[in-house]
Amino acid sequence: MSTSPGRPAFADFAADLGFEPDEFQVDACAAVEDGSGVLVCAPTGAGKTVVGEFAVFLALRLGRKCFYTTPIKALSNQKYNDLAARHGSANVGLLTGDNAINPDAPVIVMTTEVLRNMLYAGSSTLDGLGYVVMDEVHYLADRFRGAVWEEVIIHLPASVMLVSLSATVSNAEEFADWLVTVRGRTEVVVSEHRPVPLWQHMLVGRRMFDLFHDQAAARKHEVHPELLRNTREQLRRLEWGGGRRGRPRRWQPPARPDVIDRLDGAGLLPAILFVFSRAGCDAAVTQCLRAGLRLTTPAERAEIRALVEERTAALAGEDLTVLGYWEFLEGLERGLAAHHAGMLPTFKEIVEELFVRGLVKAVFATETLALGINMPARCVVLERLVKYNGEAHVDITPGEYTQLTGRAGRRGIDIEGHAVVLWSPDTDPRHVAGLASTRTYPLRSSFRPSYNMAVNIIEMLGFDRSREVLSRSFAQFQADRSVVGLAHQVQRNEENARRLAERMHCEQGDFAEYFALRTAITERERSLGRRTSANRRAQAAQALAMLRVGDIVRIPHGRRAGLAVVLDPGDSARDDPRPLVLTEDRWAGRLPGSELGDAASLGRIRVPKHFNHRSPQARRDLAVALSRAEVAVGEDNRRSRRGRSAAADDEKLTELRRQLRAHPCHRCPDREDHARWAQRYARLQQETAALQDKVAGRTGSLVRTFDDVCAMLAERGYLVAADHGYDVTDTGRTLARIWSETDLLVAECLRQDVWAGLSAPELAAAASILVYEARRESEDRIAVPHGNAEAAIGRSLGLFSELFAAEQRYGLRLTREPDLGFAWPMYRWARGEPLAKVLASASGVDGEMPAGDFVRWCRQVIDLLEQIAVPADDTLRRTCRQAVEALRRGVVAYTSVG
């Protein structure tokens, strides 16, 4: 395809690409050269980054700056290396939390948070900025970090052209409409075309089946008939396969070495196998090594060892042993590796480089590998379609399936890519077909005001202008659009209500008034009935609490009516204890307390100490003893027990009934016809009121939250009331420079001198609780270093309790609870203790802390300490710097970039 005529910059850029650009790339680059913002939505691997790279090229050509933002540091590092290789290291810089390389370069690659911080700080680095590329912009849906993307889009100067690169989303037009409202002219370029076709398969045992017969079947979600026949046959075999003693056979999934061997035989390597578990990834490599699997030649093994030794030369030998280096190297030399967030960043980078070079043939990875890192394969395998999201095991979504399988098919290398799902009895091929064919995964905003955002935006724009800007967020844009549909429904309901009001009109009098009396009587009767039932339940619960094993009770009604003996009184602490009983007809089971009536004991019999109610013989013997027991006659008089109903003596109900009988409409011959229309009218009015509440809740919802945030900050002295709303105080300016999920708690600790007098290791431990977040909650009590560190941590927890109570008053939930699980590792690492001892002290629910997690959390503590040092007094600033220097050593200090 030829390049767009009359656009010389793109013509020069395309001449060096080495391939013919696709139509969507030409259209998007043309929009950029014409001075328009652009939103590019295309599948993973389609080449969206070509458009971002053209923006870089154009900025350099025009003498302007270009910032290239990414969601993760690994992707920033990779992009920095790519752009530096193309444009020269003098023209390209890198800014992440870990690295600052050539920060004055005309092209800077950075994480999105770095650009957000620059905008709020009014950094001089923004001078001359012409273009911003936001790679993986669909990340704004991320519930933890997504708000940063919207903050950047909203606050970028109007003169900056925004190039947004996104995975395929179904509401691209909606997102583009919002971009137009906040950024001005924005072209949207959408491509569904994959440059390398993707074929979908299922592996059933050792047999590979196509998921669809052809493209027409794929569009209709029609599963290949042969696959359906085979999976049904497999299920039949499992059910009737004659396991031991006639039980169904247990399904055994294919062994991982067998899967790799099958892929190798089909020519589908290199492959990425998604396992959704860190431990599962490591176990998979171990299983393949034990099976003797080897996928490399002697020459490849020598090349692998040379590269690994070069990349790890700066790491201490004792640390390498702790990190499992020799097992890691053995796997690599055989062409096998794991890839997950628990690995040392250096090890992950080695795996990525070896895989891209074709030396590693099979990588067992968690889904984090799918987040933008350029690591395509010929084949992608999904072991399961369920993953743990941090709270529960959930099915993967169509969007996640597309993101994962999008890695299959290397442009310029493979003619086609392949996605393979391993079959199991829980995996329905029709469900897989739905995931593979669905194209509806909309982008949803996760934007919400935070304390840091509030003080920064007020300082930058003033209170009134800040409220106006927040109302322009994508979150509010989506909420307001949903309100339009609700408002139309309210209007339709109001029109229908007018027609119903005409139908219920009565010549005798005001029927709405009459119907209101009928409704009030019904509600009063229900209320009295609920009160009576509650009293009965309370009496029954009191009686049930008195029951003991061996008590004989009478079940007054139902299938089990008659005498019963109590085998277990149940848990009296529960609202419904559900005692275990044995009836005269030998049935044993738990009954709701409500079925036992007043649960009065009518006598007692002896129940054997180790009575087994599941034994027919034991039940028969005890039922015989029950039938022979002497039982008090008791009162089987349900009428006397119920007595007069509460409604009979209620004065308010009596008065309402008198008013109803006296009303003129009570004598209308068409009264019941009118009542039916009135009933419909009342239901419609209730529905309309609920819709109106929804409209009110969504309209301006973000601004209301912002107002609550500001009120709480003013209460604590970070803002001060002014004629125009609020002004930022000096303590508020301190808060404005703290970028953390616990920003307000950090500011409070600073203001209250919580960290005064701490040593560097103690400060590292105390600061860690504001950063660290365990992957899973632990019931165990977590120990912390004694002395000053323990006191500082205790004061921090006290301040959190204060903030939590204040947030509850304002209906906010912004500050997460501190986590003490990283205090000991930070304390020991800052004291210079060896890595092995430090990792052992970080053990939790999942065992010893993985090195990758340790490095990541340690770097985040360093980042927080560097932030604290800026507003701190001289003594605390000195301690912060000492702590940073003590922490930044060994595996934490090492970086392969730069």
Side-chain angles (χ1 to χ4, degrees):
M1 178 177 290
S2 61
T3 58
S4 297
R7 296 188 175 91
F10 182 64
D12 293 345
F13 171 78
D16 293 331
L17 280 177
F19 59 87
E20 192 75 20
D22 292 336
E23 184 177 359
F24 86 91
Q25 294 167 330
V26 173
D27 292 345
C29 290
V32 174
E33 189 166 356
D34 289 347
S36 170
V38 66
L39 169 64
V40 184
C41 297
T44 301
K48 297 184 289 289
T49 54
V50 166
V51 185
E53 288 166 3
F54 175 65
V56 171
F57 174 88
L58 194 60
L60 291 171
R61 184 183 180 108
L62 298 175
R64 307 294 301 279
K65 285 185 179 178
C66 179
F67 291 170
Y68 198 112
T69 73
T70 72
I72 52 177
K73 292 172 186 175
L75 189 51
S76 291
N77 294 342
Q78 193 175 69
K79 204 68 211 175
Y80 165 76
N81 289 325
D82 292 346
L83 293 175
R86 177 160 187 169
H87 300 290
S89 56
N91 287 319
V92 183
L94 175 68
L95 287 175
T96 66
D98 303 330
N99 290 300
I101 300 171
N102 199 11
D104 297 321
V107 177
I108 304 179
V109 182
M110 61 183 68
T111 48
T112 316
E113 280 87 351
V114 171
L115 178 53
R116 185 271 311 271
N117 299 354
M118 279 185 184
L119 289 167
Y120 282 145
S123 171
S124 59
T125 310
L126 297 165
D127 296 343
L129 182 62
Y131 298 88
V132 166
V133 179
M134 300 195 79
D135 204 353
E136 310 283 341
V137 74
H138 55 270
Y139 223 89
L140 67 77
D142 182 80
R143 61 185 178 136
F144 298 112
R145 297 170 56 215
V148 177
W149 274 253
E150 286 190 52
E151 289 179 78
V152 168
I153 292 169
I154 290 170
H155 295 310
L156 272 176
S159 59
V160 176
M161 290 296 104
L162 185 65
V163 177
S164 306
L165 310 179
S166 171
T168 309
V169 293
S170 55
N171 61 334
E173 293 292 344
E174 179 188 39
F175 185 48
D177 288 347
W178 174 69
L179 286 173
V180 169
T181 67
V182 292
R183 303 294 317 158
R185 181 184 165 197
T186 303
E187 298 291 332
V188 58
V189 178
V190 178
S191 173
E192 294 280 355
H193 174 68
R194 278 182 53 96
V196 180
L198 179 64
W199 293 95
Q200 307 276 352
H201 313 278
M202 287 196 77
L203 186 63
V204 186
R206 286 187 59 84
R207 288 192 63 187
M208 188 91 74
F209 294 89
D210 290 339
L211 184 60
F212 304 112
H213 182 265
D214 53 29
Q215 289 300 318
R219 283 190 291 272
K220 297 176 185 175
H221 300 202
E222 292 179 354
V223 178
H224 199 298
E226 189 179 354
L227 170 60
L228 284 176
R229 276 197 300 272
N230 190 275
T231 53
R232 286 170 186 156
E233 179 61 28
Q234 290 286 347
L235 289 171
R236 273 195 295 272
R237 287 180 188 172
L238 287 171
E239 190 171 351
W240 304 105
R244 293 180 63 188
R245 299 180 183 177
R247 295 172 185 163
R249 283 194 307 174
R250 185 179 176 185
W251 165 251
Q252 291 291 335
R256 285 155 174 161
D258 292 342
V259 173
I260 298 292
D261 193 49
R262 178 69 181 81
L263 296 175
D264 193 20
L268 295 181
L269 298 181
I272 298 171
L273 297 92
F274 286 107
V275 179
F276 300 137
S277 157
R278 296 176 176 189
C281 292
D282 294 333
V285 174
T286 302
Q287 289 163 17
C288 291
L289 293 178
R290 286 176 180 166
L293 202 61
R294 191 182 297 278
L295 305 172
T296 53
T297 64
E300 287 174 330
R301 289 196 287 278
E303 190 176 348
I304 288 167
R305 178 177 280 269
L307 185 141
V308 174
E309 289 177 348
E310 178 191 340
R311 295 287 187 272
T312 59
L315 298 175
E318 61 178 16
D319 287 351
L320 288 176
T321 302
V322 173
L323 296 168
Y325 169 78
W326 301 108
E327 296 84 353
F328 172 67
L329 178 59
E330 183 185 4
L332 292 176
E333 287 186 323
R334 294 198 191 187
L336 302 159
H339 188 289
H340 55 74
M343 293 171 63
L344 192 70
T346 306
F347 285 12
K348 283 200 298 180
E349 291 163 12
I350 289 170
V351 172
E352 290 160 15
E353 185 171 352
L354 291 174
F355 191 80
V356 170
R357 288 168 61 168
L359 296 171
V360 165
K361 319 292 184 180
V363 171
F364 295 91
T366 57
E367 73 272 20
T368 53
L369 188 145
L371 297 175
I373 298 171
N374 184 24
M375 198 170 151
R378 178 169 296 162
C379 175
V380 163
V381 178
L382 276 70
E383 284 198 353
R384 300 178 66 209
L385 299 177
V386 175
K387 68 169 190 172
Y388 185 73
N389 67 357
E391 297 172 356
H393 286 89
V394 296
D395 292 338
I396 65 171
T397 65
E400 289 167 334
Y401 182 90
T402 301
Q403 186 88 356
L404 295 165
T405 57
R407 292 276 157 221
R410 297 165 296 174
R411 188 168 190 170
I413 301 175
D414 299 321
I415 300 171
E416 56 195 23
H418 299 267
V420 180
V421 175
L422 301 191
W423 180 83
S424 74
D426 299 325
T427 308
D428 188 338
R430 286 163 295 195
H431 175 59
V432 180
L435 289 173
S437 306
T438 300
R439 291 292 177 266
T440 54
Y441 19 90
L443 194 60
R444 294 281 175 238
S445 172
S446 61
F447 184 81
R448 61 174 185 173
S450 68
Y451 299 118
N452 171 279
M453 180 198 299
V455 291
N456 270 301
I457 198 171
I458 291 173
E459 182 82 341
M460 184 192 297
L461 304 172
F463 180 70
D464 290 337
R465 177 93 176 97
S466 297
R467 296 176 89 248
E468 181 188 333
V469 166
L470 283 176
S471 69
R472 294 166 55 205
S473 67
F474 186 44
Q476 195 61 60
F477 183 83
Q478 288 188 312
D480 291 345
R481 279 205 165 185
S482 68
V483 161
V484 172
L486 292 174
H488 285 161
Q489 184 62 46
V490 168
Q491 188 177 354
R492 286 194 294 272
N493 282 7
E494 288 173 344
E495 291 171 0
N496 290 336
R498 280 193 291 274
R499 285 194 288 271
L500 289 172
E502 293 171 4
R503 296 267 186 122
M504 73 178 192
H505 175 71
C506 179
E507 297 293 338
Q508 304 287 337
D510 185 348
F511 201 86
E513 183 181 75
Y514 176 75
F515 189 76
L517 284 170
R518 286 178 64 149
T519 303
I521 290 170
T522 302
E523 285 299 316
R524 185 65 182 172
E525 288 172 341
R526 285 176 182 166
S527 174
L528 293 169
R530 285 192 295 269
R531 191 186 306 168
T532 302
S533 297
N535 289 337
R536 284 183 191 146
R537 283 196 300 273
Q539 291 168 4
Q542 190 174 3
L544 287 169
M546 303 295 292
L547 289 180
R548 297 291 178 267
V549 174
D551 281 346
I552 300 172
V553 295
R554 184 180 301 281
I555 302 172
H557 47 74
R559 286 189 304 157
R560 311 297 178 191
L563 295 179
V565 59
V566 176
L567 305 178
D568 174 18
D571 183 1
S572 59
R574 289 176 44 147
D575 291 338
D576 186 3
R578 299 180 66 86
L580 177 66
V581 301
L582 174 74
T583 62
E584 291 173 292
D585 59 1
R586 305 177 190 173
W587 177 87
R590 292 195 179 275
L591 286 176
S594 57
E595 290 191 21
L596 289 176
D598 58 13
S601 177
L602 306 177
R604 286 181 63 80
I605 60 172
R606 180 182 171 278
V607 176
K609 187 172 184 181
H610 300 292
F611 181 78
N612 180 9
H613 70 275
R614 292 186 175 86
S615 164
Q617 179 66 44
R619 289 200 306 270
R620 183 170 59 248
D621 292 346
L622 192 61
V624 170
L626 174 64
S627 66
R628 294 173 178 170
E630 293 185 10
V631 178
V633 176
E635 294 184 59
D636 189 15
N637 51 350
R638 278 166 270 176
R639 286 196 192 117
S640 66
R641 194 163 19 89
R642 293 186 183 210
R644 286 170 60 82
S645 70
D649 300 321
D650 186 68
E651 293 180 3
K652 184 175 180 180
L653 185 59
T654 302
E655 175 58 22
L656 285 170
R657 285 171 173 165
R658 188 196 65 74
Q659 291 178 24
L660 184 78
R661 288 191 294 270
H663 198 283
C665 292
H666 192 66
R667 295 181 293 277
C668 176
D670 300 321
R671 182 182 69 193
E672 293 310 311
D673 285 339
H674 296 322
R676 279 192 289 274
W677 292 115
Q679 183 69 44
R680 293 183 189 179
Y681 178 83
R683 277 201 300 266
L684 195 60
Q685 291 290 77
Q686 285 180 337
E687 182 185 320
T688 303
L691 288 171
Q692 287 170 332
D693 286 344
K694 278 188 179 179
V695 170
R698 294 183 187 180
T699 305
S701 53
L702 277 176
V703 174
R704 286 198 300 276
T705 302
F706 178 70
D707 289 344
D708 291 333
V709 167
C710 290
M712 179 161 164
L713 288 174
E715 179 184 286
R716 305 194 76 83
Y718 294 91
L719 297 175
V720 61
D723 293 340
H724 47 270
Y726 295 101
D727 285 332
V728 181
T729 64
D730 287 340
T731 51
R733 291 184 186 92
T734 297
L735 173 59
R737 296 295 168 262
I738 296 169
W739 318 98
S740 167
E741 280 187 64
T742 53
D743 47 12
L744 186 56
L745 182 53
V746 174
E748 287 286 294
C749 288
L750 265 170
R751 191 167 67 161
Q752 304 283 346
D753 290 329
V754 167
W755 300 311
L758 298 183
S759 66
E762 289 167 344
L763 178 59
S768 74
I769 72 168
L770 307 176
V771 170
Y772 178 69
E773 213 171 349
R775 294 181 70 225
R776 291 181 175 85
E777 290 186 12
S778 171
E779 298 294 329
D780 299 336
R781 185 177 178 275
I782 299 172
V784 297
H786 298 306
N788 293 337
E790 187 174 27
I793 288 170
R795 289 184 65 193
S796 300
L797 294 174
L799 286 172
F800 167 75
S801 297
E802 283 182 32
L803 292 181
F804 182 76
E807 284 185 346
Q808 284 192 311
R809 286 201 312 274
Y810 286 102
L812 300 171
R813 194 174 178 182
L814 300 180
T815 306
R816 67 167 179 79
E817 185 174 0
D819 192 318
L820 314 187
F822 203 49
W824 263 119
M826 279 296 83
Y827 182 75
R828 286 179 165 151
W829 187 249
R831 287 178 59 184
E833 295 186 21
L835 182 63
K837 190 172 181 181
V838 172
L839 292 181
S841 70
S843 61
V845 177
D846 297 323
E848 189 174 285
M849 175 175 279
D853 287 345
F854 172 75
V855 171
R856 184 172 70 256
W857 288 119
C858 195
R859 287 175 175 173
Q860 289 193 33
V861 173
I862 289 171
D863 181 55
L864 179 61
L865 289 170
E866 288 177 332
Q867 292 180 44
I868 292 170
V870 177
D873 59 44
D874 292 342
T875 304
L876 181 56
R877 185 179 301 116
R878 193 161 46 249
T879 310
C880 284
R881 289 171 180 166
Q882 290 169 355
V884 167
E885 189 176 336
L887 294 174
R888 194 174 274 149
R889 65 181 177 90
V891 293
V892 176
Y894 179 76
T895 173
S896 62
V897 180

